[in-house]
Amino acid sequence: MMRNLLILTLLLSFFSAQLPLQAQTRRSCSTTEYLNTQLQSNPAVRYKMREVEMRTAENVRSARGDMLGVVSIPVVVHVVYNQDVQNISDEQIRSQIDVLNEDFGRTNADRFDTPAEFLGAAANSKIAFKLASQDPYGNPTNGITRTRSNQALFSPSNNGVKYSAMGGMDAWDTKSYLNIWVCKLGAGMLGYAQFPGGGPVEADGVVIDYKFFGTMGTVRAPFDQGRTCTHEVGHWLNLKHIWGDGPCETDDFVADTPPVADAHYGCMHHAQACDGGPAMISNFMDYTDDACMNIFTFGQSERMRALFAPGGYRRQMLFTKGLESNTPVVAAAPQLLNATEVTELSARLSWSPVAGADSYTARFRAIGEPNWASKTFDRTFVNATRLEACTDYEFQIQSTVAGINSSYSDSKLFRTSGCEDNSASPIVGVSNTSTTSYPTNLFISDEFGNQAQLNWSKVSQAVSYKVQYKSSGSKKVYSKTLNETYVNVYSLSPGVRYFYRVQANFADGRKGPFSEVKSFVAGRSGTARMATKSVDEDYFSIKMNPTNASATINIDLGTSSMIKIEILDLQGELEVAYDPFFLQDGDPIELNLRDLQRGNYQMRITDDGGFSHARNFVR
């Protein structure tokens, strides 16, 4: 009997020793538990994350992240080990960096395994990861630190791996580097991350168990392809799990990931989303095995890149020296300056963007004047107003990158219109190409069935007019040039809204600016319009909320469209401009106007067909 008991004891010891090798068959992520701990210990974290989320949503809405090129993130990997097997090789670390670049850049070999129904949503986030070449003190580095610890393992409950005093390694400047700690975590944990603003600044980063980092050496299936780190870096870049850590009604703040009720494990190929369609189990932010993960979506990409747009939580990382070799920041002067939409009193000044620029300073003056008028913007255009007619002007642009100002560009010259003899400018490079006026009083008459007559007021000295019109939701623009101040259009579709605008042409070849855009609905009689409301009021509305100084804008463009929004004062001076963004058909636009002083303004929305739609409103 003693012999049988000894054999049983040996067998139990053998199988107990094997359990840690076999038990980890389902993915688990400790990020949510870590966040809950931070929220309980420091209530300020909740407010910081709310602030980050508001800025992220605003940057996504205005598509500011799309204006950036490839975002390169310097990475430092802190290997903290108690046993030699945990001190993973440089090659294993580099294999993980390769996986990050493939997964975030949509060059992963298994991208072709993405189900056909999700291929249209698959995105290259244009985020790159590189091991740092310079440490925070300006010294050269390979981006890897190694620390022997007296701690057998670490857990997110005390975050000890991130502090030297607790047996770990202190982070490098978390505003300038992505800190990744590789160590032995407690049983069942693959890794965890800190959301933007989701904890102490000095603890910002990602922690991965040494058995699930990279694609070689100590890694173990089914988490042996580096996707644990891809998943956790997704959290570090503000992505939630695709089920939003709640039931179907819980939002992950991404529109193109179908809502699901819970996580998926293994490779659940026939799993369903909340709407009955297929679940996106191949998304890197699910819990499936490494071999089944292969996609970030456009919505996720927008959300991640929003962190690096102006005001974004990780914006400073664009200007880190972590990837430099003591190379100073150099700000380039903008190029391709241009003056368009020149009238007697105003002009639109534009220039090409400068990589990494936070802002631009535009200055202009009348030729011969000693003083410049200047203003700083975070966009690549400005509307210069209150100019004088028939006057020669020059303007220059300066960029600011990481607090460093460039030199001013060479001057671009232009002449305002309004010269009685329409003579050419005596200044080389300046031509009088603008007009003194544009058509006004646009209205529709003789409208019935599938035809209508478009009318406008005569422009002094105009010899002909160019009319452009299109149906709502169509990018096809019809043009007609004629001598009269009206045009009959046919073959319209009853019930469909149409937009039109008019431009005056002059004998010397000049073309004036287009008029405002007017709209009408084919087949809707003038009598019916008069009995209800103005033809232009029923497709574009602005509703102010005085409680929080926000505005809800509804505009019916007929289809999803790339739009640009500008807010001007009633003298035409530009007050606010939003970067172009994609508007889904039928979706309202929510704008925060707290920074806009109280008063009367005009909002101008320009669609991707170049048609501008304007409304006055009171803030």
Side-chain angles (χ1 to χ4, degrees), residues 496-544:
V496 172
R497 183 178 297 280
Y498 288 82
F499 302 105
Y500 81 102
R501 59 184 182 179
V502 188
Q503 178 187 55
N505 300 319
F506 298 86
D508 59 0
R510 291 182 296 116
K511 297 179 182 296
F514 275 104
S515 68
E516 64 175 324
V517 173
K518 284 292 185 178
S519 84
F520 66 96
V521 176
R524 184 190 295 179
S525 70
T527 303
R529 288 200 305 275
M530 293 295 291
T532 55
K533 53 185 176 180
S534 169
V535 63
D536 269 341
E537 289 181 354
D538 55 0
Y539 84 101
F540 184 2
S541 65
I542 302 172
K543 182 178 181 181
M544 290 296 304

Short mmCIF file of all heavy atoms in Angstrom, two decimals, residues 496-544:
data_model
loop_
_atom_site.label_atom_id
_atom_site.label_comp_id
_atom_site.label_asym_id
_atom_site.label_seq_id
_atom_site.Cartn_x
_atom_site.Cartn_y
_atom_site.Cartn_z
N VAL A 496 -36.75 64.86 -56.17
CA VAL A 496 -35.32 64.86 -55.85
C VAL A 496 -34.84 66.30 -55.68
O VAL A 496 -35.23 67.19 -56.44
CB VAL A 496 -34.51 64.16 -56.96
CG1 VAL A 496 -33.01 64.32 -56.73
CG2 VAL A 496 -34.88 62.68 -57.03
N ARG A 497 -33.99 66.53 -54.68
CA ARG A 497 -33.44 67.86 -54.46
C ARG A 497 -32.28 68.11 -55.40
O ARG A 497 -31.44 67.24 -55.62
CB ARG A 497 -33.00 68.03 -53.01
CG ARG A 497 -32.47 69.45 -52.70
CD ARG A 497 -32.08 69.59 -51.24
NE ARG A 497 -33.23 69.42 -50.36
CZ ARG A 497 -34.12 70.34 -50.10
NH1 ARG A 497 -34.03 71.53 -50.68
NH2 ARG A 497 -35.14 70.10 -49.29
N TYR A 498 -32.22 69.33 -55.92
CA TYR A 498 -31.12 69.76 -56.79
C TYR A 498 -30.46 71.00 -56.21
O TYR A 498 -31.11 71.82 -55.55
CB TYR A 498 -31.62 70.05 -58.21
CG TYR A 498 -32.00 68.82 -58.99
CD1 TYR A 498 -33.25 68.22 -58.82
CD2 TYR A 498 -31.10 68.23 -59.88
CE1 TYR A 498 -33.60 67.08 -59.51
CE2 TYR A 498 -31.43 67.08 -60.58
CZ TYR A 498 -32.68 66.51 -60.40
OH TYR A 498 -33.01 65.38 -61.09
N PHE A 499 -29.14 71.13 -56.46
CA PHE A 499 -28.38 72.29 -56.04
C PHE A 499 -27.84 72.99 -57.29
O PHE A 499 -27.48 72.34 -58.27
CB PHE A 499 -27.19 71.88 -55.16
CG PHE A 499 -27.58 71.12 -53.92
CD1 PHE A 499 -27.38 69.74 -53.83
CD2 PHE A 499 -28.15 71.77 -52.84
CE1 PHE A 499 -27.72 69.03 -52.71
CE2 PHE A 499 -28.50 71.06 -51.69
CZ PHE A 499 -28.29 69.70 -51.63
N TYR A 500 -27.79 74.33 -57.24
CA TYR A 500 -27.17 75.03 -58.38
C TYR A 500 -26.48 76.30 -57.92
O TYR A 500 -26.76 76.86 -56.86
CB TYR A 500 -28.20 75.33 -59.47
CG TYR A 500 -29.09 76.53 -59.27
CD1 TYR A 500 -28.84 77.73 -59.94
CD2 TYR A 500 -30.22 76.46 -58.45
CE1 TYR A 500 -29.69 78.82 -59.77
CE2 TYR A 500 -31.06 77.55 -58.28
CZ TYR A 500 -30.79 78.73 -58.94
OH TYR A 500 -31.61 79.82 -58.79
N ARG A 501 -25.49 76.74 -58.74
CA ARG A 501 -24.74 77.95 -58.49
C ARG A 501 -24.35 78.56 -59.83
O ARG A 501 -24.35 77.86 -60.86
CB ARG A 501 -23.49 77.67 -57.65
CG ARG A 501 -22.52 76.69 -58.29
CD ARG A 501 -21.36 76.37 -57.36
NE ARG A 501 -20.40 75.47 -57.99
CZ ARG A 501 -19.29 75.04 -57.41
NH1 ARG A 501 -19.00 75.43 -56.17
NH2 ARG A 501 -18.45 74.23 -58.04
N VAL A 502 -23.99 79.84 -59.82
CA VAL A 502 -23.75 80.57 -61.08
C VAL A 502 -22.46 81.38 -60.95
O VAL A 502 -22.15 81.94 -59.89
CB VAL A 502 -24.92 81.50 -61.42
CG1 VAL A 502 -24.74 82.09 -62.82
CG2 VAL A 502 -26.26 80.76 -61.31
N GLN A 503 -21.74 81.47 -62.07
CA GLN A 503 -20.49 82.22 -62.14
C GLN A 503 -20.54 83.18 -63.32
O GLN A 503 -21.05 82.82 -64.39
CB GLN A 503 -19.32 81.24 -62.31
CG GLN A 503 -17.95 81.87 -62.44
CD GLN A 503 -16.90 80.82 -62.76
OE1 GLN A 503 -17.03 80.09 -63.74
NE2 GLN A 503 -15.87 80.73 -61.94
N ALA A 504 -20.05 84.41 -63.15
CA ALA A 504 -20.02 85.39 -64.24
C ALA A 504 -18.69 85.32 -64.98
O ALA A 504 -17.63 85.14 -64.36
CB ALA A 504 -20.23 86.79 -63.68
N ASN A 505 -18.74 85.46 -66.32
CA ASN A 505 -17.55 85.51 -67.17
C ASN A 505 -17.46 86.90 -67.80
O ASN A 505 -18.48 87.50 -68.17
CB ASN A 505 -17.62 84.46 -68.27
CG ASN A 505 -17.72 83.06 -67.72
OD1 ASN A 505 -17.05 82.73 -66.74
ND2 ASN A 505 -18.55 82.23 -68.32
N PHE A 506 -16.23 87.41 -67.95
CA PHE A 506 -16.03 88.77 -68.45
C PHE A 506 -15.26 88.77 -69.76
O PHE A 506 -14.59 87.78 -70.11
CB PHE A 506 -15.31 89.61 -67.39
CG PHE A 506 -16.11 89.76 -66.12
CD1 PHE A 506 -16.03 88.80 -65.11
CD2 PHE A 506 -16.97 90.82 -65.95
CE1 PHE A 506 -16.78 88.93 -63.96
CE2 PHE A 506 -17.73 90.96 -64.80
CZ PHE A 506 -17.64 90.01 -63.80
N ALA A 507 -15.34 89.89 -70.50
CA ALA A 507 -14.79 89.97 -71.85
C ALA A 507 -13.28 89.73 -71.89
O ALA A 507 -12.74 89.23 -72.88
CB ALA A 507 -15.13 91.34 -72.46
N ASP A 508 -12.57 90.11 -70.81
CA ASP A 508 -11.12 89.95 -70.81
C ASP A 508 -10.68 88.56 -70.37
O ASP A 508 -9.50 88.31 -70.11
CB ASP A 508 -10.47 91.00 -69.92
CG ASP A 508 -10.96 90.92 -68.48
OD1 ASP A 508 -11.80 90.05 -68.18
OD2 ASP A 508 -10.52 91.74 -67.65
N GLY A 509 -11.64 87.64 -70.26
CA GLY A 509 -11.31 86.27 -69.89
C GLY A 509 -11.40 85.97 -68.41
O GLY A 509 -11.21 84.82 -67.98
N ARG A 510 -11.68 86.99 -67.62
CA ARG A 510 -11.80 86.76 -66.18
C ARG A 510 -13.05 85.96 -65.85
O ARG A 510 -14.06 86.09 -66.50
CB ARG A 510 -11.83 88.10 -65.43
CG ARG A 510 -10.53 88.87 -65.47
CD ARG A 510 -10.62 90.17 -64.66
NE ARG A 510 -11.59 91.09 -65.24
CZ ARG A 510 -12.69 91.49 -64.64
NH1 ARG A 510 -13.00 91.01 -63.45
NH2 ARG A 510 -13.51 92.35 -65.22
N LYS A 511 -12.92 85.18 -64.76
CA LYS A 511 -14.06 84.42 -64.25
C LYS A 511 -14.28 84.84 -62.80
O LYS A 511 -13.34 84.81 -61.99
CB LYS A 511 -13.80 82.92 -64.33
CG LYS A 511 -13.62 82.40 -65.75
CD LYS A 511 -13.36 80.91 -65.73
CE LYS A 511 -13.12 80.38 -67.14
NZ LYS A 511 -14.28 80.53 -68.01
N GLY A 512 -15.48 85.22 -62.46
CA GLY A 512 -15.78 85.62 -61.10
C GLY A 512 -15.97 84.42 -60.20
O GLY A 512 -16.01 83.26 -60.65
N PRO A 513 -16.07 84.65 -58.89
CA PRO A 513 -16.35 83.55 -57.98
C PRO A 513 -17.79 83.04 -58.16
O PRO A 513 -18.64 83.77 -58.65
CB PRO A 513 -16.17 84.17 -56.59
CG PRO A 513 -16.44 85.62 -56.81
CD PRO A 513 -15.97 85.94 -58.19
N PHE A 514 -18.04 81.82 -57.76
CA PHE A 514 -19.39 81.27 -57.83
C PHE A 514 -20.29 81.95 -56.81
O PHE A 514 -19.84 82.42 -55.76
CB PHE A 514 -19.39 79.77 -57.59
CG PHE A 514 -19.11 78.95 -58.83
CD1 PHE A 514 -17.87 78.37 -59.02
CD2 PHE A 514 -20.09 78.79 -59.79
CE1 PHE A 514 -17.62 77.61 -60.15
CE2 PHE A 514 -19.85 78.04 -60.94
CZ PHE A 514 -18.60 77.45 -61.12
N SER A 515 -21.55 81.99 -57.13
CA SER A 515 -22.55 82.51 -56.21
C SER A 515 -22.74 81.55 -55.05
O SER A 515 -22.17 80.46 -55.02
CB SER A 515 -23.88 82.67 -56.95
OG SER A 515 -24.39 81.37 -57.28
N GLU A 516 -23.59 81.94 -54.11
CA GLU A 516 -24.02 81.00 -53.09
C GLU A 516 -24.79 79.86 -53.76
O GLU A 516 -25.26 79.98 -54.90
CB GLU A 516 -24.91 81.69 -52.06
CG GLU A 516 -26.23 82.21 -52.64
CD GLU A 516 -27.14 82.77 -51.58
OE1 GLU A 516 -27.15 82.22 -50.46
OE2 GLU A 516 -27.84 83.75 -51.86
N VAL A 517 -24.89 78.74 -53.06
CA VAL A 517 -25.61 77.58 -53.59
C VAL A 517 -27.08 77.68 -53.19
O VAL A 517 -27.41 77.97 -52.04
CB VAL A 517 -25.00 76.27 -53.06
CG1 VAL A 517 -25.86 75.08 -53.47
CG2 VAL A 517 -23.58 76.11 -53.59
N LYS A 518 -27.98 77.47 -54.14
CA LYS A 518 -29.40 77.39 -53.87
C LYS A 518 -29.90 75.99 -54.19
O LYS A 518 -29.29 75.28 -55.01
CB LYS A 518 -30.17 78.42 -54.72
CG LYS A 518 -30.06 79.84 -54.21
CD LYS A 518 -30.80 80.01 -52.87
CE LYS A 518 -30.80 81.45 -52.41
NZ LYS A 518 -31.54 81.60 -51.15
N SER A 519 -30.99 75.62 -53.58
CA SER A 519 -31.53 74.29 -53.83
C SER A 519 -33.03 74.36 -54.12
O SER A 519 -33.70 75.33 -53.77
CB SER A 519 -31.29 73.37 -52.63
OG SER A 519 -32.28 73.54 -51.65
N PHE A 520 -33.53 73.32 -54.78
CA PHE A 520 -34.96 73.18 -55.01
C PHE A 520 -35.28 71.70 -55.17
O PHE A 520 -34.39 70.89 -55.44
CB PHE A 520 -35.39 73.95 -56.27
CG PHE A 520 -34.80 73.41 -57.55
CD1 PHE A 520 -35.52 72.52 -58.35
CD2 PHE A 520 -33.53 73.79 -57.95
CE1 PHE A 520 -34.98 72.04 -59.53
CE2 PHE A 520 -32.98 73.30 -59.13
CZ PHE A 520 -33.70 72.42 -59.93
N VAL A 521 -36.54 71.36 -54.98
CA VAL A 521 -37.00 69.98 -55.15
C VAL A 521 -37.82 69.92 -56.42
O VAL A 521 -38.81 70.64 -56.58
CB VAL A 521 -37.82 69.50 -53.94
CG1 VAL A 521 -38.37 68.10 -54.19
CG2 VAL A 521 -36.97 69.54 -52.68
N ALA A 522 -37.38 69.11 -57.37
CA ALA A 522 -38.07 69.01 -58.66
C ALA A 522 -39.51 68.56 -58.47
O ALA A 522 -39.80 67.65 -57.71
CB ALA A 522 -37.34 68.04 -59.58
N GLY A 523 -40.42 69.28 -59.17
CA GLY A 523 -41.82 68.91 -59.12
C GLY A 523 -42.58 69.51 -57.97
O GLY A 523 -43.80 69.35 -57.88
N ARG A 524 -41.90 70.23 -57.07
CA ARG A 524 -42.60 70.86 -55.96
C ARG A 524 -42.96 72.28 -56.39
O ARG A 524 -42.09 73.10 -56.65
CB ARG A 524 -41.73 70.90 -54.71
CG ARG A 524 -42.46 71.48 -53.50
CD ARG A 524 -41.52 71.73 -52.34
NE ARG A 524 -40.95 70.48 -51.83
CZ ARG A 524 -40.07 70.45 -50.82
NH1 ARG A 524 -39.69 71.58 -50.27
NH2 ARG A 524 -39.59 69.31 -50.42
N SER A 525 -44.19 72.59 -56.46
CA SER A 525 -44.64 73.88 -57.01
C SER A 525 -44.25 75.03 -56.11
O SER A 525 -44.09 74.88 -54.90
CB SER A 525 -46.16 73.87 -57.20
OG SER A 525 -46.79 73.89 -55.93
N GLY A 526 -44.13 76.21 -56.73
CA GLY A 526 -43.82 77.41 -55.96
C GLY A 526 -44.88 77.71 -54.93
O GLY A 526 -44.61 78.18 -53.83
N THR A 527 -46.16 77.45 -55.27
CA THR A 527 -47.25 77.70 -54.34
C THR A 527 -47.11 76.84 -53.09
O THR A 527 -47.26 77.31 -51.97
CB THR A 527 -48.61 77.40 -55.01
OG1 THR A 527 -48.72 78.21 -56.17
CG2 THR A 527 -49.75 77.67 -54.05
N ALA A 528 -46.75 75.57 -53.30
CA ALA A 528 -46.57 74.67 -52.16
C ALA A 528 -45.42 75.13 -51.28
O ALA A 528 -45.49 75.07 -50.06
CB ALA A 528 -46.31 73.24 -52.66
N ARG A 529 -44.38 75.66 -51.89
CA ARG A 529 -43.26 76.12 -51.10
C ARG A 529 -43.64 77.32 -50.25
O ARG A 529 -43.27 77.44 -49.10
CB ARG A 529 -42.08 76.49 -52.02
CG ARG A 529 -41.39 75.28 -52.65
CD ARG A 529 -40.00 75.65 -53.13
NE ARG A 529 -40.01 76.80 -54.03
CZ ARG A 529 -40.22 76.72 -55.34
NH1 ARG A 529 -40.45 75.54 -55.89
NH2 ARG A 529 -40.22 77.79 -56.10
N MET A 530 -44.38 78.24 -50.86
CA MET A 530 -44.78 79.42 -50.12
C MET A 530 -45.70 79.06 -48.96
O MET A 530 -45.69 79.71 -47.92
CB MET A 530 -45.50 80.40 -51.05
CG MET A 530 -44.60 81.00 -52.12
SD MET A 530 -43.29 82.03 -51.43
CE MET A 530 -44.28 83.39 -50.83
N ALA A 531 -46.46 78.01 -49.13
CA ALA A 531 -47.42 77.62 -48.09
C ALA A 531 -46.74 76.92 -46.91
O ALA A 531 -47.30 76.86 -45.83
CB ALA A 531 -48.48 76.69 -48.68
N THR A 532 -45.55 76.39 -47.14
CA THR A 532 -44.86 75.69 -46.06
C THR A 532 -43.69 76.53 -45.57
O THR A 532 -43.83 77.42 -44.77
CB THR A 532 -44.39 74.30 -46.52
OG1 THR A 532 -43.59 74.46 -47.72
CG2 THR A 532 -45.57 73.40 -46.83
N LYS A 533 -42.52 76.28 -46.09
CA LYS A 533 -41.36 77.05 -45.67
C LYS A 533 -40.40 77.19 -46.82
O LYS A 533 -40.52 76.54 -47.85
CB LYS A 533 -40.68 76.38 -44.48
CG LYS A 533 -40.33 74.91 -44.70
CD LYS A 533 -39.77 74.32 -43.41
CE LYS A 533 -39.49 72.84 -43.56
NZ LYS A 533 -38.95 72.24 -42.34
N SER A 534 -39.42 78.04 -46.64
CA SER A 534 -38.47 78.35 -47.70
C SER A 534 -37.85 77.09 -48.26
O SER A 534 -37.54 76.17 -47.53
CB SER A 534 -37.39 79.28 -47.18
OG SER A 534 -36.34 79.40 -48.11
N VAL A 535 -37.63 77.08 -49.57
CA VAL A 535 -37.09 75.90 -50.23
C VAL A 535 -35.74 75.48 -49.67
O VAL A 535 -35.39 74.32 -49.67
CB VAL A 535 -36.97 76.16 -51.75
CG1 VAL A 535 -35.98 77.28 -52.04
CG2 VAL A 535 -36.54 74.90 -52.50
N ASP A 536 -34.97 76.46 -49.18
CA ASP A 536 -33.64 76.14 -48.69
C ASP A 536 -33.60 75.78 -47.22
O ASP A 536 -32.58 75.36 -46.71
CB ASP A 536 -32.69 77.31 -48.94
CG ASP A 536 -31.98 77.20 -50.28
OD1 ASP A 536 -31.95 76.08 -50.82
OD2 ASP A 536 -31.50 78.22 -50.77
N GLU A 537 -34.71 75.95 -46.50
CA GLU A 537 -34.68 75.74 -45.06
C GLU A 537 -34.89 74.28 -44.67
O GLU A 537 -34.55 73.90 -43.56
CB GLU A 537 -35.73 76.60 -44.37
CG GLU A 537 -35.38 78.09 -44.37
CD GLU A 537 -36.43 78.91 -43.67
OE1 GLU A 537 -37.46 78.33 -43.29
OE2 GLU A 537 -36.22 80.12 -43.51
N ASP A 538 -35.44 73.49 -45.59
CA ASP A 538 -35.83 72.15 -45.17
C ASP A 538 -34.76 71.10 -45.40
O ASP A 538 -34.99 69.93 -45.17
CB ASP A 538 -37.14 71.72 -45.87
CG ASP A 538 -37.02 71.83 -47.39
OD1 ASP A 538 -35.95 72.23 -47.87
OD2 ASP A 538 -38.01 71.51 -48.07
N TYR A 539 -33.56 71.48 -45.83
CA TYR A 539 -32.51 70.48 -45.98
C TYR A 539 -31.27 70.81 -45.14
O TYR A 539 -30.37 70.00 -45.01
CB TYR A 539 -32.10 70.32 -47.45
CG TYR A 539 -31.08 71.33 -47.94
CD1 TYR A 539 -29.73 70.99 -48.06
CD2 TYR A 539 -31.45 72.63 -48.30
CE1 TYR A 539 -28.79 71.90 -48.51
CE2 TYR A 539 -30.52 73.54 -48.76
CZ TYR A 539 -29.20 73.17 -48.87
OH TYR A 539 -28.27 74.08 -49.31
N PHE A 540 -31.23 72.00 -44.54
CA PHE A 540 -30.07 72.42 -43.77
C PHE A 540 -30.58 73.19 -42.55
O PHE A 540 -31.19 74.24 -42.68
CB PHE A 540 -29.17 73.31 -44.64
CG PHE A 540 -27.87 73.74 -44.00
CD1 PHE A 540 -27.50 73.33 -42.73
CD2 PHE A 540 -27.01 74.58 -44.69
CE1 PHE A 540 -26.29 73.74 -42.16
CE2 PHE A 540 -25.80 75.00 -44.14
CZ PHE A 540 -25.45 74.58 -42.87
N SER A 541 -30.34 72.65 -41.36
CA SER A 541 -30.82 73.32 -40.15
C SER A 541 -29.74 73.28 -39.07
O SER A 541 -28.92 72.36 -39.02
CB SER A 541 -32.09 72.66 -39.62
OG SER A 541 -31.83 71.34 -39.20
N ILE A 542 -29.75 74.32 -38.23
CA ILE A 542 -28.82 74.40 -37.11
C ILE A 542 -29.65 74.63 -35.85
O ILE A 542 -30.42 75.59 -35.78
CB ILE A 542 -27.82 75.57 -37.27
CG1 ILE A 542 -27.02 75.41 -38.57
CG2 ILE A 542 -26.88 75.64 -36.08
CD1 ILE A 542 -26.17 76.62 -38.90
N LYS A 543 -29.50 73.75 -34.88
CA LYS A 543 -30.23 73.89 -33.62
C LYS A 543 -29.24 74.06 -32.49
O LYS A 543 -28.41 73.18 -32.24
CB LYS A 543 -31.11 72.67 -33.36
CG LYS A 543 -31.94 72.77 -32.08
CD LYS A 543 -32.82 71.55 -31.89
CE LYS A 543 -33.66 71.68 -30.63
NZ LYS A 543 -34.51 70.48 -30.41
N MET A 544 -29.29 75.22 -31.83
CA MET A 544 -28.37 75.50 -30.73
C MET A 544 -28.93 74.97 -29.41
O MET A 544 -30.13 75.04 -29.16
CB MET A 544 -28.14 77.01 -30.60
CG MET A 544 -27.32 77.62 -31.72
SD MET A 544 -25.62 76.99 -31.77
CE MET A 544 -25.04 77.35 -30.10
#
